[in-house]
Amino acid sequence: MYGIFMESWVIFKLYGGRWSYLLLYFAALIFVAVKAKDKEIKLLFAWLPLMMLAVFFFPPFRKVYVRVFGDGNTQYRLLWLVPMGMTVSYAGCLAATLVPMRGNRLGLKRITDRILIPVAVSALIMACGSLVYLNPLVTKAENPWHIPQEAIEVADIIAPEQTPGAGRLRVRAAVPSELVHFIRQYNTDIVLAYGRDIIAYNYYNEIHERLEKTERIDVRGLAEVLKDDGVQYLVLKRDAPVDTDPADAGFMLYAETESYRIFEVPGWAGG
Amino acid sequence: MTTWSAVSIPLLFFWLAVVPFFTGIVVTSFFPYKMKTIGAAWITGLLAGFVLFEPVALFCMLTITYESFLVCVRVYSCVMMVLAVLGAVMLVRRAVIRRGAPGIRGLMLALFPGYGEETLSDLMHPRRDAVRFDRRFGVSESIYFAAFLLMFLIQAVMAVRYAFFDGDDAYYVVVSVLADQTDTMYTILPYTGYSTALDFRHALATWTLWTAFIARSCHIHAAVLIHTVLQPYLLAMCYYAYFLVAMRLFRRRLDMVPLFLCFISICSMFGNVSIYTRETFFMMRTWQGKAMVGSFIIPLMFFLLLGFTRDEAGLRWVHRTPVEKRTLWFLLLMVNISASFFSTSGIMITLALTAAGFGIPVLFTGWRGDVERKQLIRHKMISLGAAASTCIPNVALAAAGWLLSR
């Protein structure tokens, strides 16, 4: 039971990231529980979230969750039922409404509840949080698809020409990991030798093993595997560590982009 | 590869604004007059669209082998067009038979009675909240609204100009692109392109297919729609849900609504403390179904929970009128079904929130002498039954998905 509790604890810690954000939330929760006048608001923003957290950390609940969903890694979504953003925002507004009127000093009250408190709360949220636009996964979009421009260039080169009324043509290609996420977001006529699941979940795929998980690519061995799998195109990074020139192994250079060379696989099944 | 066509923008406006709005006119015609506003029509029209898409898509998925998506697009288009035309007719009828003040203001009030000021009978109604119902905002509130709109604009521009990488797009975006390019629905593996049996685990959430429908109808590439067009639109949708929450939360201090929205906006931008938070999903993966559950469905649930517990005059839920009760349960039903439309995990989340959020106030409502004991018990049973019944479609879907996937 303790071990299961610790699993939930780890998920909670990972969810919270920086402790300051969680502390800010709990401070807001306590403030709402103490100062809110309406018991319905206390119920929704204080007692209900605490109940959800209690259930979240309850070991038998995790056992049931994993049994039902087969994957305990998504348990963090239950924490979405804890309205952290709404609670902190409501607490900030509540603080502004609680500024008392003192005599005729209306101007000071106005400054306090209209400027000082909102600015202070905003600064606190910014200090305790982390700006999403500084995340390294946020990059300038190169095109309306929001995928690397070179992925589009590679896809445009290897995609088959479709003839209306003639049935949909497809090609199979083996591409490096950094292109796997994007090629099919652009054009689904390109069938990939291995997909994102191989990379993300570390499944076994022979082509991926030969292409990405080796110090030096055995080009002739790779050619055999690609041919057997019916792959038509091989996309290699220009600086990919190969043991021999692909041309010597029968690959025909089909096209090039700035970072990639595109080869036709020798003797592929459809050829 | 075609990005968009010359008619994409007017078609996007048609399918994302006009059709939901007129559909919402039909839905809100059964609601209390205070809910007959432009915003309420838009949001309920969207919800109705999601709710109607789910059975159409599931039916096509399960019964049609080839070109199932093409049939789905045609059927759904017809259904939505019928509703939109009906809504337009209802709106014209309201304008024709209007009673009250002449001119533009009179026309607005006839079309959208929710913007009207209270009538004498409202003022005299024993359930009226006498404390404060003043919707006028001062200078500081206007400044906060402007600050919120500025932050929203920044987020919208960033959503269009910047790419937010997420590995799950290799699945969810590709499902939409596949549906648009091949007319298949969950029968091709998105990661590789090989054929597969129907993926029941994901197929119950037809949000990705709805985006493919919009892409097909507006002649725009599905990935462009999702990453560039939909993200600002969905941000607006989610912030409107928070606006509704704020209007309920601060019913006696409506001047706090703009400030609340500002704080929500700042929390959203600075909530990227981990990859798991709702705020991270909201800003970086807005177009994914699970992000919509966290940022659209959950605020709507809170809006409904607040509406259930907090009556206009501060009286308890037992005193709601039949129309108000029916409206609440109907909206809860639509929100619950929309949750499963967005993501299969939405089923679990809305079940938990419905059970806890509605069950606790109902069960722990004590007798205070304002109604007879028998009447209170009757109210409790009806409310619990109504709340439970709004979960039936989700439970049925989950059970069907579990059975079909075995």
Side-chain angles (χ1 to χ4, degrees):
Chain A
M1 283 291 160
Y2 177 72
I4 297 172
F5 170 80
M6 286 308 292
E7 286 174 7
S8 300
W9 176 249
V10 167
I11 292 172
F12 182 72
K13 270 191 0 180
L14 288 172
Y15 181 91
R18 297 170 58 169
W19 273 109
S20 52
Y21 190 73
L22 288 176
L23 282 174
L24 176 67
Y25 167 66
F26 282 113
L29 188 150
I30 293 168
F31 184 71
V32 169
V34 169
K35 285 293 186 183
K37 291 197 186 88
D38 294 305
K39 51 182 194 219
E40 295 85 7
I41 289 184
K42 287 190 198 201
L43 172 70
L44 285 179
F45 288 98
W47 313 130
L48 203 60
L50 285 173
M51 209 177 75
M52 295 291 180
L53 283 170
V55 169
F56 178 82
F57 285 112
F58 191 46
F61 170 76
R62 179 163 168 81
K63 285 181 90 167
V64 170
Y65 185 93
V66 173
R67 178 158 296 203
V68 169
F69 292 98
D71 174 19
N73 294 328
T74 56
Q75 194 184 341
Y76 68 88
R77 291 180 200 174
L78 280 174
L79 292 172
W80 291 353
L81 290 168
V82 177
M84 293 191 184
M86 279 196 278
T87 306
V88 169
S89 304
Y90 180 73
C93 294
L94 186 62
T97 62
L98 291 178
V99 175
M101 278 279 267
R102 286 203 176 90
N104 288 326
R105 290 161 68 188
L106 185 61
L108 186 60
K109 176 191 177 325
R110 287 259 120 178
I111 291 169
T112 308
D113 73 359
R114 285 293 185 265
I115 300 173
L116 289 180
I117 290 180
V119 168
V121 171
S122 304
L124 198 57
I125 296 171
M126 291 181 197
C128 294
S130 176
L131 183 60
V132 65
Y133 302 120
L134 297 179
N135 191 307
L137 296 175
V138 179
T139 54
K140 195 123 193 332
E142 296 171 43
N143 48 62
W145 288 268
H146 286 200
I147 61 179
Q149 186 60 32
E150 245 191 311
I152 291 177
E153 289 169 17
V154 168
D156 279 339
I157 289 168
I158 62 179
E161 286 285 334
Q162 302 293 345
T163 310
R168 205 150 186 108
L169 292 174
R170 290 185 175 83
V171 294
R172 265 150 100 154
V175 304
S177 321
E178 65 269 17
L179 292 182
V180 159
H181 293 88
F182 305 113
I183 291 275
R184 287 179 58 74
Q185 287 187 51
Y186 177 71
N187 192 336
T188 56
D189 295 332
I190 300 166
V191 175
L192 296 178
Y194 59 89
R196 178 240 176 181
D197 50 340
I198 302 295
I199 301 160
Y201 306 121
N202 213 20
Y203 296 153
Y204 179 82
N205 177 281
E206 192 174 2
I207 295 172
H208 178 242
E209 295 287 318
R210 286 177 179 271
L211 208 51
E212 304 270 309
K213 287 192 165 183
T214 176
E215 277 191 19
R216 197 158 284 279
I217 300 171
D218 171 15
V219 179
R220 290 181 209 281
L222 179 62
E224 287 301 313
V225 172
L226 291 176
K227 193 173 73 177
D228 289 342
D229 211 47
V231 175
Q232 186 176 354
Y233 295 105
L234 169 68
V235 179
L236 275 181
K237 287 198 83 161
R238 283 186 177 278
D239 58 355
V242 291
D243 62 348
T244 183
D245 188 349
D248 295 338
F251 286 94
M252 263 187 35
L253 183 64
Y254 186 74
E256 290 178 272
T257 64
E258 190 182 331
S259 310
Y260 300 98
R261 290 186 297 169
I262 302 167
F263 296 94
E264 269 193 330
V265 173
W268 66 281
Chain B
M1 180 68 57
T2 311
T3 317
W4 51 61
S5 74
V7 295
S8 290
I9 292 177
L11 283 172
L12 279 168
F13 179 73
F14 179 73
W15 283 107
L16 294 178
V18 173
V19 169
F21 170 71
F22 283 112
T23 305
I25 294 291
V26 176
V27 178
T28 55
S29 63
F30 302 103
F31 289 2
Y33 85 91
K34 284 204 173 105
M35 291 195 68
K36 290 181 175 143
T37 60
I38 296 172
W42 175 57
I43 213 82
T44 50
L46 276 173
L47 285 173
F50 299 152
V51 166
L52 289 168
F53 188 82
E54 181 88 349
V56 171
L58 287 175
F59 178 79
C60 294
M61 218 185 291
L62 294 171
T63 59
I64 300 170
T65 308
Y66 299 110
E67 296 184 329
S68 54
F69 183 67
L70 181 62
V71 175
C72 175
V73 166
R74 287 175 178 165
V75 169
Y76 184 67
S77 301
C78 291
V79 169
M80 294 309 291
M81 288 304 298
V82 163
L83 282 172
V85 167
L86 188 60
V89 165
M90 288 171 96
L91 211 58
V92 167
R93 190 167 168 272
R94 275 188 212 170
V96 166
I97 64 168
R98 64 181 169 153
R99 297 181 190 92
I104 300 290
R105 182 175 160 72
L107 179 64
M108 270 297 290
L109 290 176
L111 294 177
F112 307 107
Y115 293 117
E117 285 163 4
E118 292 171 301
T119 61
L120 186 60
S121 62
D122 287 325
L123 289 167
M124 299 297 292
H125 197 284
R127 292 176 54 247
R128 182 186 178 275
D129 184 356
V131 176
R132 182 175 173 151
F133 211 71
D134 188 355
R135 291 192 180 187
R136 285 173 297 179
F137 292 134
V139 171
S140 53
E141 287 81 39
S142 303
I143 292 173
Y144 282 125
F145 250 134
F148 164 70
L149 287 174
L150 180 64
M151 281 191 278
F152 170 71
L153 199 63
I154 291 170
Q155 289 170 20
V157 168
M158 294 296 283
V160 173
R161 297 291 304 275
Y162 281 78
F164 300 83
F165 171 76
D166 180 62
D168 281 350
D169 282 354
Y171 188 94
Y172 296 112
V173 174
V174 176
V175 167
S176 298
V177 178
L178 267 172
D180 185 29
Q181 289 183 350
T182 65
D183 282 325
T184 57
M185 298 161 83
Y186 285 106
T187 53
I188 293 180
L189 286 171
Y191 289 138
T192 52
Y194 300 129
S195 291
T196 181
L198 188 59
D199 176 11
F200 287 105
R201 191 194 154 223
H202 293 103
L204 295 179
T206 53
W207 161 249
T208 47
L209 299 172
W210 185 87
T211 54
F213 163 79
I214 296 293
R216 173 73 65 87
S217 305
C218 302
H219 305 292
I220 184 170
H221 192 284
V224 172
L225 172 78
I226 288 166
H227 284 146
T228 304
V229 176
L230 265 192
Q231 203 175 353
Y233 181 80
L234 296 175
L235 286 175
M237 244 170 73
C238 296
Y239 278 127
Y240 189 78
Y242 283 116
F243 169 73
L244 293 175
V245 172
M247 291 294 281
R248 285 256 162 96
L249 266 180
F250 299 106
R251 63 186 174 91
R252 296 178 178 218
R253 287 296 303 265
L254 289 175
D255 55 320
M256 285 290 139
V257 169
L259 187 57
F260 180 82
L261 291 174
C262 284
F263 286 148
I264 284 283
S265 191
I266 296 170
C267 282
S268 300
M269 284 200 289
F270 284 84
N272 184 224
V273 291
S274 76
I275 60 171
Y276 305 105
T277 61
R278 201 154 47 124
E279 289 77 15
T280 298
F281 275 73
F282 177 45
M283 298 301 296
M284 292 186 67
R285 302 161 78 166
T286 327
W287 55 87
Q288 291 183 8
K290 41 190 181 280
M292 290 302 294
V293 169
S295 306
F296 182 61
I297 296 294
I298 289 180
L300 281 181
M301 290 288 289
F302 272 81
F303 164 70
L304 294 174
L305 286 170
L306 282 166
F308 179 68
T309 55
R310 310 188 77 213
D311 189 65
E312 287 285 315
L315 295 177
R316 298 190 297 162
W317 55 270
V318 292
H319 299 288
R320 308 306 290 272
T321 63
V323 171
E324 284 170 340
K325 285 178 181 169
R326 274 199 303 270
T327 302
L328 175 74
W329 300 128
F330 184 69
L331 281 172
L332 183 61
L333 177 69
M334 285 214 294
V335 169
N336 272 328
I337 297 176
S338 299
S340 64
F341 161 85
F342 283 118
S343 171
T344 41
S345 61
I347 298 174
M348 164 195 69
I349 285 174
T350 48
L351 266 177
L353 213 43
T354 304
F358 287 91
I360 292 173
V362 170
L363 286 172
F364 290 98
T365 299
W367 182 70
R368 290 185 204 159
D370 50 348
V371 291
E372 290 181 13
R373 281 185 199 269
K374 273 190 193 171
Q375 200 180 357
L376 181 63
I377 292 169
R378 191 171 149 269
H379 273 297
K380 286 191 181 194
M381 290 177 67
I382 291 173
S383 294
L384 284 175
S389 63
T390 62
C391 301
I392 290 174
N394 279 359
V395 172
L397 264 177
W402 180 74
L403 282 169
L404 289 168
S405 61
R406 285 175 71 83

